[in-house]
Amino acid sequence: MNATVSMIAQADPGAGYRALKPEIDAAVARALASGWYILGQEGAAFEREYAEWLGEGQRAVGCANGTDAIALILRGMGIGEGATVVTVSHTAVATVAAIEMAGATPLLLDIDPDTYTMDPDELAAVLEDPPPGIPPIRAVIAVHIYGQPCDLGPMLAACAKAGVPLIEDCAQAHGARLHGRMIGTIGHAAAYSLYPTKNLGALGDGGVLSTPDHELADRIAAIRQYGWRERYISSLIGVNSRLDEVQAAILRVKLPHLDAGNARRRAIADAYDAALAGTSIAPPVRRQGAEHVFHQYVLRSPERTAVMAALKAQGVGTGIHYSVPVHEQSAYAGRITLGPAGCGETSRAAHEVFSLPMYPELTEAQIEQVCGALRGL
Ligand SMILES: *Cc1c(COP(=O)(O)O)cnc(C)c1O
């Protein structure tokens, strides 16, 4: 590496804190001084503000993390033991872990190799003719991986035909849009992670879920705290999955900057796309009619190891999301049911994908450094 070139991290949650340090420090001080630390005014205000930001009559419920947000939606819908939930293997393991936390059986489908999102034809096929030996399919979880909306049109049509709700895993896609509509307001309910590196990130763990079904939101709000509708009285079987006041206060500072952060990510993606023109590596495919929010800017190459080393030599950090598909991980391999397509595209992608530095705080000089390295590929 050239001695004058400094390494650019692939992710840098500390930069997100530094960019808003005075406001975040003041919000933390306010939450600490309040004397109330769990499910208080900050949490309630964050839920209101997040629901307003989503629009479309959504209700938002805060919880401890994005994995719990998925599991809480399933519990709130009464989906658990004796039910199958369909999703993809090309996702954060959290999506599949949440299905099993709720007691349900995952069925993992393959992806479209261009957009890395669920193949809608395979979904229609399994809803019509489920694989033998699994409980009835009761829900589908669409994962908007890397910040790119799934092909929700045909997926919703297939779900409606089968009478099954569609849940959106928006952990990587806060603020993405499909044909102008906000992702997370299109299905029956949506889960968002607020992990520090996500497009909207707390400075610790956090999660939120949304639904236009107010009865479902009320039920989940009870389930997240021991099933209490009334203090100390469990009227539902619950868990403990609460968003704390300090994180809620931090998130209230960050939420008004989310749209600008997503626009900045898109501008960085445009610069990377332009730098790749004329190289052997194709820029990420953007779905027609979708507004991608580039949680990750993902490229693929059969020579991934060499390409990543070449970028590293130019001071460009990279990551792999994800190197081993869920169905090949030892906790899942051999016992998890796959769709009829067999997840071949998922396995191929896992061997080839890598992610470039992507966060709104990247400086112009850093972006130019990445672009210079890309032009040499
Ligand atoms: C991050 C993530 C989750 C889980 O969120 P946590 O807050 O880490 O529990 C779920 N699904 C996807 C696609 C994610 O990227």
Side-chain angles (χ1 to χ4, degrees):
M1 190 169 107
N2 183 324
T4 62
V5 172
S6 58
M7 197 70 194
I8 303 168
Q10 198 268 323
D12 186 3
Y17 167 55
R18 288 189 297 275
L20 296 169
K21 185 175 186 306
E23 296 97 312
I24 289 174
D25 289 353
V28 169
R30 183 181 72 223
L32 293 179
S34 75
W36 191 279
Y37 303 112
I38 302 273
L39 296 189
Q41 288 182 10
E42 298 288 346
F46 171 69
E47 289 175 348
R48 260 192 326 270
E49 289 159 10
Y50 196 75
E52 250 164 58
W53 173 78
L54 285 169
E56 310 253 4
Q58 294 284 309
R59 273 273 306 276
V61 180
C63 61
N65 55 68
T67 312
D68 281 3
I70 299 168
L72 282 166
I73 291 169
L74 293 172
R75 286 179 198 277
M77 289 178 164
I79 294 167
E81 225 173 298
T84 290
V85 176
V86 182
T87 191
V88 285
S89 181
H90 187 77
T91 182
V93 73
T95 315
V96 184
I99 294 169
E100 293 201 324
M101 271 172 66
T105 301
L107 169 62
L108 304 184
L109 304 190
D110 208 359
I111 50 168
D112 157 49
D114 290 333
T115 54
Y116 307 105
T117 53
M118 185 185 285
D119 174 358
D121 293 334
E122 190 183 13
L123 175 62
V126 297
L127 287 173
E128 198 125 299
D129 183 18
I134 55 167
I137 295 171
R138 289 277 146 75
V140 173
I141 302 180
V143 182
H144 305 302
I145 196 86
Y146 308 145
Q148 166 116 289
C150 293
D151 192 3
L152 284 179
M155 292 171 68
L156 277 167
C159 286
K161 193 169 166 205
V164 158
L166 186 138
I167 299 164
E168 298 179 68
D169 180 343
C170 300
Q172 304 190 0
H174 325 61
R177 287 174 184 271
L178 186 62
H179 304 301
R181 281 191 72 184
M182 188 80 100
I183 281 303
T185 69
I186 300 172
H188 292 79
Y192 313 78
S193 168
L194 305 169
Y195 183 77
T197 59
K198 302 290 164 97
N199 291 39
L200 178 63
L203 300 177
D205 268 318
V208 62
L209 58 95
S210 72
T211 174
D213 179 344
H214 290 203
E215 211 175 293
L216 176 63
D218 286 340
R219 199 158 51 241
I220 292 172
I223 292 170
R224 77 170 158 183
Q225 181 164 240
Y226 319 125
W228 290 354
R229 290 189 195 271
E230 189 185 333
R231 201 162 181 79
Y232 305 129
I233 311 292
S234 297
S235 58
L236 295 166
I237 298 170
V239 298
N240 175 4
S241 181
R242 299 175 296 213
L243 180 65
D244 71 69
E245 291 286 281
V246 170
Q247 297 306 332
I250 293 167
L251 289 159
R252 293 181 67 200
V253 172
K254 295 184 96 180
L255 178 59
H257 299 275
L258 175 54
D259 291 330
N262 285 340
R264 173 78 177 154
R265 288 171 183 268
R266 270 195 295 279
I268 296 167
D270 290 345
Y272 291 172
D273 281 5
L276 286 165
T279 71
S280 60
I281 294 182
V285 171
R286 304 193 194 190
R287 186 186 304 289
Q288 276 273 319
E291 203 167 289
H292 197 317
V293 290
F294 289 100
H295 172 61
Q296 301 293 359
Y297 185 94
V298 174
L299 300 174
R300 64 189 296 170
S301 167
E303 271 90 52
R304 173 171 72 188
T305 308
V307 174
M308 287 171 68
L311 290 170
K312 189 177 177 190
Q314 302 286 318
V316 176
T318 53
I320 297 176
H321 304 94
Y322 299 91
S323 55
V324 182
V326 173
H327 73 277
E328 293 177 15
Q329 297 177 19
S330 59
Y332 298 94
R335 69 175 186 85
I336 217 90
T337 308
L338 303 183
C343 288
E345 292 297 348
T346 296
S347 298
R348 254 189 299 286
H351 285 108
E352 296 184 355
V353 295
F354 62 101
S355 315
L356 296 183
M358 178 52 83
Y359 34 98
E361 298 79 18
L362 280 170
T363 65
E364 291 305 316
Q366 287 176 317
I367 295 165
E368 186 40 46
Q369 187 179 324
V370 177
C371 287
L374 293 177
R375 282 182 211 107
L377 292 179

